[in-house]
Amino acid sequence: MAGLLNKLRMMDAAPAKPAPAAQKTRESTTSFYHKEDIFPVSLFPDRDCLASGLLRQVFGGDFPDNVSPEDILFFDTETTGLSGGVGTVAFQLGLGYFTPSGFVVEQMLMHDYPEEPEMLALLASRFRRFPVLCSFNGKTFDVPLIRSRFLMNRLKDDCIPESHADVLYPARRIWKLRLRQCNLGNLETQLLGVQREDDLPGYLVPQTYFQYLKDGNFEPLQGILNHNKQDIISLAQLFFFLLNQVQQPESMEEKEDLFSWARSLEKQGQRQKTAHLYRLCSGSAIQGDAFKALSRLEKQDGNYHSSVLLLETMLREGNDRVYACEALAKLYEHQLRDISKALSYTRQALLYLAEPSLRQGEAVQERKNALQYRYERLRRKLSRSSQSI
């Protein structure tokens, strides 16, 4: 048991904390496998950041007012296949929720297919107790699968909570730029510090269950249950960690994450906060991309001189100099009406593109052609302007 508890430490991007107290266990009398494990709430130090407005901002959709951690049902399934469809069955269900006694991880597993209706009936009763569902890719996979299984077993699916916080989508928006892979396993390792030992790979889950149906040996299924238990706890930890990061973006240690969240806020139309977060990326490896975006926002808002200052900073500090010169040329030509400076910056862009260190691919050549066309056009425009004086 101590090995499992060590895996469940909440790292929160900090040194390891002491392992929590031993979990409690409750057994059930159902025909299918049914067990509850209770863990201390100290595993979830970020849970006080929960707020309805924050949920709407991060996950979209509607959420109840005055939502609390006790209103959320964390949900994950283990299935006989990964493609979905009527032939796929969720043979094991994992639920997590907060109670006065602690965080309960409730697991159900059917010993054979005839136990599915009874197991789904219990799942439906759990769904009805919670106004909010939280999953990882549940909108695309788990919930549609459960709906189809309800239908196949002639059960109503109106018990499924309407408010759904799917952690996968905001996780991708914030962490994909830096972490590349945003599956739950990588996120729990990189963000929560969870290191799984002897974990059953996901692709082995279906064949492990099929083998159990043949030989009746339950012991290998314990690996599936342990895997699912860790998924539920990591999902809950990641949910609160995500909300805490979004609530206090200025505290994000990785500027790539800050930049990614700023882009997300920009798409939501929160321009003032977006600009503030882009500026916080100053001095980091992502500064060039942040100043590109920020100079574009300043230009759209008519703050042309602020946009020029940002682009000049990029030029001075070597952040995509070709882009900075081209953007400055456009600003001076169309907004600031200074053809001479526009021509000068276009010339600089051409010189930077001609550097031997730059790979001369088709895209570079197309960019050269476009800049050369701009340069010739600006020369003619400047010549006409001089003649008219």
Side-chain angles (χ1 to χ4, degrees), residues 57 174 245-252 254-266 268 270-284 286-287 289-291 293-294 297 310:
Q57 180 186 29
I174 296 177
Q245 291 275 283
V246 170
Q247 188 179 54
Q248 306 177 68
E250 296 84 359
S251 65
M252 290 185 183
E254 303 294 340
K255 298 303 182 184
E256 286 177 306
D257 301 344
L258 186 65
F259 172 75
S260 296
W261 182 240
R263 285 195 304 186
S264 181
L265 290 178
E266 183 180 350
Q268 296 177 29
Q270 300 188 42
R271 296 172 72 89
Q272 186 173 356
K273 191 166 187 178
T274 295
H276 171 62
L277 298 184
Y278 280 145
R279 290 188 183 280
L280 291 179
C281 296
S282 175
S284 69
I286 204 74
Q287 173 181 286
D289 291 325
F291 279 15
L294 186 54
L297 287 180
L310 289 162

Side-chain angles (χ1 to χ4, degrees), residues 1-8 21-25 35 37 39 229:
M1 185 62 66
L4 172 62
L5 294 174
N6 284 334
K7 300 177 201 172
L8 302 178
Q23 68 197 56
K24 302 176 184 177
T25 300
K35 184 180 178 183
D37 293 309
F39 296 87
K229 187 181 300 183

Side-chain angles (χ1 to χ4, degrees), residues 133-147:
L133 189 68
C134 179
S135 71
F136 195 89
N137 198 32
K139 283 188 175 181
T140 301
F141 184 77
D142 300 86
V143 170
L145 174 61
I146 290 299
R147 287 190 187 278

Side-chain angles (χ1 to χ4, degrees), residues 30-286:
T30 55
S31 61
F32 56 88
Y33 176 93
H34 182 209
K35 184 180 178 183
E36 295 179 5
D37 293 309
I38 307 176
F39 296 87
V41 296
S42 58
L43 287 171
F44 312 92
D46 293 320
R47 68 194 192 106
D48 291 337
C49 66
L50 190 63
S52 301
L54 189 60
L55 289 173
R56 296 184 189 109
Q57 180 186 29
V58 174
F59 298 102
D62 193 25
F63 287 87
D65 294 329
N66 304 317
V67 65
S68 69
E70 290 74 21
D71 293 325
I72 302 172
L73 178 66
F74 298 91
F75 179 57
D76 186 42
T77 65
E78 303 298 337
T79 66
T80 57
L82 301 177
S83 58
V86 294
T88 303
V89 175
F91 68 86
Q92 195 265 311
L93 308 173
L95 309 173
Y97 45 89
F98 290 95
T99 71
S101 301
F103 184 75
V104 175
V105 176
E106 183 176 4
Q107 294 180 293
M108 314 171 200
L109 185 150
M110 57 190 193
H111 298 109
D112 207 342
Y113 293 105
E115 294 178 351
E116 184 181 26
E118 182 189 5
M119 187 175 74
L120 291 177
L122 181 58
L123 175 64
S125 72
R126 295 295 184 267
F127 277 157
R128 292 189 183 95
R129 284 168 45 185
F130 298 90
V132 178
L133 189 68
C134 179
S135 71
F136 195 89
N137 198 32
K139 283 188 175 181
T140 301
F141 184 77
D142 300 86
V143 170
L145 174 61
I146 290 299
R147 287 190 187 278
S148 71
R149 298 317 303 171
F150 277 142
L151 179 63
M152 295 293 290
N153 286 274
R154 299 182 180 180
L155 296 171
K156 293 182 178 181
D157 64 1
D158 57 358
C159 57
I160 300 175
E162 294 184 4
S163 298
H164 190 162
D166 193 326
V167 175
L168 174 62
Y169 302 104
R172 282 176 175 169
R173 290 197 295 271
I174 296 177
W175 295 306
K176 187 174 183 179
L177 178 65
R178 177 167 65 92
L179 301 180
R180 310 301 179 196
Q181 292 185 340
C182 285
N183 59 301
L184 182 59
N186 191 47
L187 291 175
E188 70 177 8
T189 298
Q190 298 294 331
L191 302 174
L192 307 176
V194 174
Q195 298 290 340
R196 299 200 189 195
E197 298 175 3
D198 302 321
D199 184 55
L200 182 70
Y203 69 89
L204 291 179
V205 167
Q207 67 187 65
T208 302
Y209 182 66
F210 291 142
Q211 185 62 38
Y212 162 73
L213 294 179
K214 292 179 182 179
D215 60 25
N217 181 12
F218 191 85
E219 185 175 353
L221 295 187
Q222 195 60 52
I224 295 177
L225 292 165
N226 290 339
H227 174 92
N228 177 259
K229 187 181 300 183
Q230 178 65 71
D231 281 351
I232 291 294
I233 293 183
S234 290
L235 170 62
Q237 289 178 329
L238 187 63
F239 170 79
F240 292 114
F241 180 81
L242 170 68
L243 291 179
N244 186 62
Q245 291 275 283
V246 170
Q247 188 179 54
Q248 306 177 68
E250 296 84 359
S251 65
M252 290 185 183
E253 295 183 1
E254 303 294 340
K255 298 303 182 184
E256 286 177 306
D257 301 344
L258 186 65
F259 172 75
S260 296
W261 182 240
R263 285 195 304 186
S264 181
L265 290 178
E266 183 180 350
K267 292 177 182 177
Q268 296 177 29
Q270 300 188 42
R271 296 172 72 89
Q272 186 173 356
K273 191 166 187 178
T274 295
H276 171 62
L277 298 184
Y278 280 145
R279 290 188 183 280
L280 291 179
C281 296
S282 175
S284 69
I286 204 74

